[in-house]
Structures are given as structure tokens and as C-alpha cells.
Amino acid sequence: MICKEDLFQIGQFAGLHGIRGELSLRTEYDVLDGMDSPYLVCEMDGIPVPFYIENCRPKGRSVILVKLERVDDPAAARRFVNRPVYYPLSAMKNVPEKDAGWRRFRGYILEDIQKKVTGRVTEVDETTLNVLFRVDCGGKEILVPMAEELICSVDRAAKRMVVSLPDGLLDL
């Protein structure tokens, strides 16, 4: 099953192109150039659904013409127009860190500088005003509100983040 947390929005289908069901994908990313994943994801009825790419070609600097499998005419392609388009985060190669957001820390070991907590970030919840990390600490799940000011260091190679949590935060 595809989880929205594992996806990165690369753009939006802006319109139809031609009579064979091609779509114009407006994007700033070169994800389809030598792609690792032969599919794009669109949300249909609230569920992320993969759609395999039959072929694609650039049209200018920020538009890619995409032909999806089993989308063979304008009527079938019309249901994609104005929909956000996602790509698997794991297949993204050159995503600027600011664009990847907090999700890039999923799977990292989170360690408090005072050694009050050490665990693995299992999920990142960005649906609220405060970003929350769900951290598995030896089978016990804790929620850690996250902000850039709390980060002391990040070791990307080791997938480890050291944070300075305010006193009493874990007692709430």
C-alpha cells in the first residue's frame, strides 16, 4: 500500500495534450529523467493510486508530456487535469532538503543531548501546526514536537539526529 508520507509532490497535471490521452505535467523537478520508478501517483477518491508511465518527453523547461498506461483518449485523461502529481520519495535523487521537509528524517535515530530519550523516528506528522515525530523507544512510542531550533546535529550518513529537548517535555 502506498502511504502519502512516502510521496513527494512533484507538480500538477495542467491539461490535456493531443488526442491520445497525453497530459501536460507542470514540474520543477527532473524526476522522470532516468527515473528509478516507472510510475506517478495521483490521489483518487482520497487514496494514493499509482499510474504507470507509457512514455514521457519534455516540452520546454517546466512541462513534461506524460502518457499513462491505459489512458488512451482525452475523456480518460480529463480526470487527471488539475490533480497534484506525486513521486515516491525513496526514488527522488536530487530533491533540495528544504523541499523534502521533515519526512526526510523518517528512519533516523533521534537522541536527546541529555540522553533522556533515544529511539527511531517511525513517522512524521505534518498535519498539525507543530510537526510531530513518532519515536519508537524500545517498544514504547513517544511523540516529540519538532522545530529546527531543537536540532543540535544531524549525521546523514549514519541517519542520526541529536536534539535538545526542553526540560519536562517528555513528562507531558
Side-chain angles (χ1 to χ4, degrees), residues 3-6 89 102-111 117-126 131-144 146 159 161:
C3 297
K4 195 156 182 183
E5 297 82 35
D6 297 330
L89 192 58
W102 290 101
R103 291 177 292 175
R104 69 183 182 269
F105 294 114
R106 261 181 82 200
Y108 272 58
I109 297 294
L110 182 100
E111 183 179 319
V117 64
T118 299
R120 185 170 305 277
V121 178
T122 58
E123 285 189 49
V124 178
D125 183 354
E126 296 180 278
V131 174
L132 294 173
F133 282 2
R134 289 185 185 273
V135 181
D136 178 14
C137 298
K140 179 184 174 194
E141 181 182 83
I142 62 169
L143 296 176
V144 177
M146 192 46 56
K159 293 189 93 173
M161 178 190 326

Side-chain angles (χ1 to χ4, degrees), residues 18 40 47 88 92:
L40 298 173
I47 301 169
M92 297 289 292

Side-chain angles (χ1 to χ4, degrees), residues 27-51:
T27 183
E28 297 175 19
Y29 302 100
D30 294 331
V31 294
L32 302 182
D33 197 21
M35 63 187 152
D36 285 344
S37 183
Y39 66 90
L40 298 173
V41 177
C42 284
E43 206 170 302
M44 301 297 213
D45 299 323
I47 301 169
V49 178
F51 292 93

Side-chain angles (χ1 to χ4, degrees), residues 62-83:
S62 63
V63 175
I64 300 171
L65 298 179
V66 178
K67 171 70 176 72
L68 300 174
E69 286 183 4
R70 299 187 205 169
V71 177
D72 298 319
D73 57 59
R78 206 167 274 116
R79 69 183 184 148
F80 293 92
V81 174
N82 295 323
R83 287 192 188 267

